[in-house]
Structure formats: C-alpha cells, structure tokens
Amino acid sequence: MTVRKGNRLGISIQEHMAINVCPGPIRPIRQISAYFPRLSPTSSFSEPLSPNQLSAGQGAAGGGGSLSAMSSMDTSIEIDSCDSDDNTSLGTLEFDLLYEKATSSLHCTVLRAKGLKPMDFNGLADPYVKLHLLPGACKANKLKTKIVRNTLNPVWNETLTYCGITEEDMYRKTLRVSVCDEDKLTHNEFIGESRVALRRVKPDQTKHFNICLEHPPPLPSPTATSTALRGISCYLREWETEQQRSLEERGRLLLCLQYLPPNGDSELKGEAKERARGGLCVGVKRCAHLAAMDVNGFSDPYVKTYLKPDVQKKSKHKTAVIKKTLNPEFNEEFFYEISFTELATKTLEVTVWDYDLGKSNDFIGGVSFGCHSQGDALQHWIDCLKNKGKKVERWHTLTNELPGSTLQE
C-alpha cells in the first residue's frame, strides 16, 4: 500500500498501540487491558472515536507519547480492574455453624462450593476446605475436609467439630475458612478464604453462610503513620495483643469433680468401701488443642493430679499416655478419701505433660482448684462443694504457670 506524503493512515487506536514501538525507557504495564481500553459507563457507547483523537495518538508515535495520548481520553476510557488476578472470581462457599453451649463444641458443616477458580492444567481443581481458629497457631486448631477430585463445584456435606470452645472463645475468636487445591507433585495451592467472627453465631442456633471467597488480607507494617494505613495499624496492634495472649494458652482440659459424702455402709468392700467413707472424685475426661511439644508437631500427653499440701506424698495419680495426639481422650477417674472439712483447706492441682523417652518429660500446662483459685476454676470448685453427690463437669484453659506451685514430674 502506498501512502501519499502528508496524508495520515486512518487506523484504530488498538492497531496503533499494537504496532507502535517507540524508543526510550521501558515502562511497566500493569495489565493487558491498558492496550485495549473500554468506554466508561458514563459515556455513550454509540459514539465512535473522533478522527482528532486517532490522529493525536498517531502524532505521538515519534516522541513516545502514546501513553499521554491515552491519558487525554481518560474521561471516556477506564481500565477495568477485573482483568487483574486480584479481582478474578474465586468462587463461593456454603457452610453452616452451630455452637452447642452444653457440650462446649463448635460444629462446622461444609456443604458445597461453586465456581471455584481453575488451578490445574485441565481447567479443574482438587479442592478441600481447611478450618483454622484465630488467634492461635496451634496445629490442633486446624481441621480439614476430604478432597473432591476434578471439579469446580465440589460437594462435601462434611461436619468438622471443635471441642472445648467456651463462651469467651465465641466472643473473641474468628473462624478462618479457606479452600485449597491438592497437588500431588508440588505444594498445595491456595484458592481463597473467608473469615467469620464467632460472635455472629448464637448458642444452639444453626447459622447458614453462603459467601464469596476472597484473597488473604494484606498485613502492612504496624509502624506506618499514613492516613490510609492508620486504621489497619490499630487493627494489627490489637491482633498482636491477641496473638501474645493466645501463646499463654496451652490447651483445654475437660474435668469432672464430685464430692461424695459418707453414707455409713460398712458392708461394702474394696473401692466401694473407700468411697462410702466420703471423698473427692476427680474425672479426667479429655484434652483439646494442646500445644505441640515434639518435632513431629504432636505430643504424647498424660495427666497428673495432686491434692496439696501433700505431706506424705501419696496423692499423686497419673493417667495413661496417649501417643501422638493433641486432642487425647482419657476417661479416667481418681478418688481421694478425705473429709469435707479437710477438703476446704486443700488445693487440687491438675497438670498435663508430654512424655519423652529417655529424657525429662515436658510440661504442657495446668490448672489448680481451691479457695485461692480464680475465674472458672474457683467457680467449678465452689459448685463441687455446694452440690454434694453431683458431678460437675467443665472445660478449663491450661496455663504455663501455676501460682504458688512447684511443678513435679
């Protein structure tokens, strides 16, 4: 094609941007849609670009001003951010939450997901769902569903349960629900997540969620002082405080206390005869969310009980060791023959340990019960003494220090 001197070739702006190669510094291109601008909703789609706009774009070819020519049309052209990966649809997730106050358990029923982002070469994914209670970095806080192969619309209908969730946890903790793609050859890939404040769930009422998956929230530096980051900095300081608080928690213990008054039956024998004289029955039910003490990410826990002061050192009882778990079930009972008057001067100390072969065992956490206790432990002790003959069962948070106690292995 021959073009006469002085005449300009009338081409579209798209063609111009594709063929225009101008010397100079290379500028980063954020997304491909910058080459193919769209009309904004406020402009008329029926009005074509004027020849003056086309000629302006062609005249800037020699001076590297193609980007400035496009910037002159920013009133009628907008860059659609939906072309970027940050705003690509990740899919939706449907699940139910139920908190049972009587059993201190949180049930999450993962139902289904729709329209997940393809992660494999075949345009599909192998999705599964992970649950994580925040704050807290304990491996016992993480649960996950089965894997559904080769689908973008998986159906699980699977219920995952957290035990030992108190009302305080429901007020201050957040449930992170994330969807991942399983990959056998490389590491698993993250698809999207959503976070639900547990305070939104009312006790003994099932709450249904149908949410859009999102990218993980950014974590800018808490020291940033700009106006845009000031609110996020306040949130991060609060988050760090919660993280430090969560490090003090070493797990949960479900304990049952019962004081048996003497019944005067002298015909009984063995253990029944001892209980007939009256005393304290300590039932060690189970533990949950214990801190991992071994390199494999688990522990080998067992529980010990003492009734102090123990001058004769005969009050020690110990459960069996449960191997490689952070949520052990013991279901063992220990009995202390003691009068009600004497029991009021005693302190029950319950500690959880990690068994190590060939070296000293590791202390995980403990809780003490007595007149000098505080919080839930004191209330549990008082309820036990008030309700003679009745079993009083309650969850307790393990701490890494017991006030006024010398830990004994």
Side-chain angles (χ1 to χ4, degrees), residues 70-96:
M70 289 185 60
S71 63
S72 65
M73 297 183 291
D74 57 358
T75 57
S76 60
I77 296 175
E78 68 173 6
I79 307 302
D80 191 354
S81 61
C82 291
D83 285 346
S84 64
D85 289 338
D86 292 338
N87 291 295
T88 302
S89 176
L90 302 176
T92 61
L93 181 65
E94 196 173 347
F95 60 93
D96 293 335

Side-chain angles (χ1 to χ4, degrees), residues 14-23 35 57-58 60-67:
Q14 286 86 353
E15 293 173 333
H16 165 72
M17 293 299 296
I19 64 176
N20 180 29
V21 180
C22 58
Y35 285 106
Q58 297 166 9
S66 60
L67 293 178

Side-chain angles (χ1 to χ4, degrees), residues 257 367-370 373-382 394 396:
L257 299 180
V367 59
S368 60
F369 302 86
S373 302
Q374 297 179 353
D376 292 338
L378 177 60
Q379 188 61 45
H380 195 181
W381 185 254
I382 293 175
R394 192 166 298 175
H396 295 278

Side-chain angles (χ1 to χ4, degrees), residues 142-382:
K142 299 177 183 179
L143 302 175
K144 77 174 190 176
T145 66
K146 62 184 179 181
I147 301 172
V148 182
R149 301 287 180 183
N150 296 324
T151 180
L152 299 180
N153 301 284
V155 177
W156 289 283
N157 288 326
E158 187 173 348
T159 300
L160 306 176
T161 301
Y162 283 104
C163 297
I165 304 299
T166 63
E167 293 186 61
E168 182 184 1
D169 293 329
M170 294 298 296
Y171 177 77
R172 69 182 184 91
K173 284 186 177 291
T174 299
L175 180 66
R176 178 192 180 195
V177 185
S178 56
V179 181
C180 300
D181 170 61
E182 196 262 352
D183 199 328
K184 294 182 178 180
L185 300 179
T186 61
H187 63 278
N188 297 343
E189 297 178 297
F190 177 83
I191 298 179
E193 71 168 32
S194 181
R195 304 191 180 196
V196 178
L198 294 183
R199 64 171 65 97
R200 298 174 56 187
V201 181
K202 296 181 180 181
D204 302 317
Q205 295 183 18
T206 302
K207 188 172 181 63
H208 182 74
F209 294 88
N210 191 0
I211 53 178
C212 294
L213 297 176
E214 302 174 350
H215 293 277
L219 292 178
S221 173
T223 58
T225 57
S226 63
T227 304
L229 298 179
R230 194 168 300 164
I232 300 179
S233 299
C234 295
Y235 164 76
L236 286 177
R237 283 194 292 268
E238 182 180 352
W239 179 80
E240 289 176 355
T241 303
E242 289 287 343
Q243 285 289 80
Q244 293 175 357
R245 181 179 179 183
S246 67
L247 293 177
E248 300 174 358
E249 298 181 2
R250 310 302 295 271
R252 302 295 169 86
L253 171 67
L254 180 59
L255 203 67
C256 179
L257 299 180
Q258 180 187 20
Y259 179 75
L260 298 174
N263 57 14
D265 192 349
S266 58
E267 297 181 358
L268 299 176
K269 297 181 180 180
E271 183 179 353
K273 185 176 181 179
E274 292 182 359
R275 298 200 176 197
R277 299 172 185 170
L280 178 66
C281 182
V282 180
V284 181
K285 298 297 184 178
R286 62 183 300 175
C287 293
H289 320 320
L290 293 181
M293 308 300 291
D294 298 335
V295 294
N296 59 3
F298 294 96
S299 295
D300 302 323
Y302 66 94
V303 178
K304 293 190 304 179
T305 65
Y306 288 93
L307 198 58
K308 296 184 176 182
D310 183 19
V311 179
Q312 299 180 355
K313 297 185 178 181
K314 294 183 179 180
S315 68
K316 175 182 176 181
H317 291 287
K318 184 169 66 173
T319 68
V321 178
I322 309 298
K323 294 288 187 178
K324 198 177 179 181
T325 179
L326 300 178
N327 300 280
E329 293 189 18
F330 300 100
N331 293 319
E332 297 188 32
E333 285 189 353
F334 307 115
F335 183 77
Y336 294 97
E337 184 180 343
I338 187 173
S339 65
F340 185 80
T341 305
E342 188 180 1
L343 182 62
T345 63
K346 296 285 187 177
T347 298
L348 176 66
E349 185 178 284
V350 184
T351 55
V352 183
W353 297 78
D354 169 57
Y355 174 79
D356 287 325
L357 183 63
K359 57 181 181 179
S360 60
N361 299 332
D362 299 321
F363 174 70
I364 298 179
V367 59
S368 60
F369 302 86
C371 297
H372 301 288
S373 302
Q374 297 179 353
D376 292 338
L378 177 60
Q379 188 61 45
H380 195 181
W381 185 254
I382 293 175

Side-chain angles (χ1 to χ4, degrees), residues 17-156:
M17 293 299 296
I19 64 176
N20 180 29
V21 180
C22 58
I26 300 176
R27 300 184 180 182
I29 300 172
R30 295 187 59 187
Q31 52 194 20
I32 194 63
S33 61
Y35 285 106
F36 302 97
R38 297 177 174 87
L39 295 178
S40 65
T42 57
S43 63
S44 175
F45 289 93
S46 60
E47 296 179 1
L49 297 178
S50 64
N52 293 333
Q53 291 175 325
L54 293 176
S55 61
Q58 297 166 9
S66 60
L67 293 178
S68 63
M70 289 185 60
S71 63
S72 65
M73 297 183 291
D74 57 358
T75 57
S76 60
I77 296 175
E78 68 173 6
I79 307 302
D80 191 354
S81 61
C82 291
D83 285 346
S84 64
D85 289 338
D86 292 338
N87 291 295
T88 302
S89 176
L90 302 176
T92 61
L93 181 65
E94 196 173 347
F95 60 93
D96 293 335
L97 289 180
L98 171 63
Y99 174 63
E100 292 184 354
K101 186 176 179 180
T103 59
S104 299
S105 57
L106 176 65
H107 305 281
C108 178
T109 302
V110 184
L111 300 176
R112 64 185 64 85
K114 294 182 180 180
L116 295 180
K117 180 182 177 182
M119 305 299 293
D120 298 337
F121 291 109
N122 58 2
L124 300 174
D126 302 321
Y128 64 92
V129 176
K130 283 196 308 181
L131 303 182
H132 189 191
L133 280 178
L134 302 175
C138 180
K139 186 174 182 178
N141 281 337
K142 299 177 183 179
L143 302 175
K144 77 174 190 176
T145 66
K146 62 184 179 181
I147 301 172
V148 182
R149 301 287 180 183
N150 296 324
T151 180
L152 299 180
N153 301 284
V155 177
W156 289 283

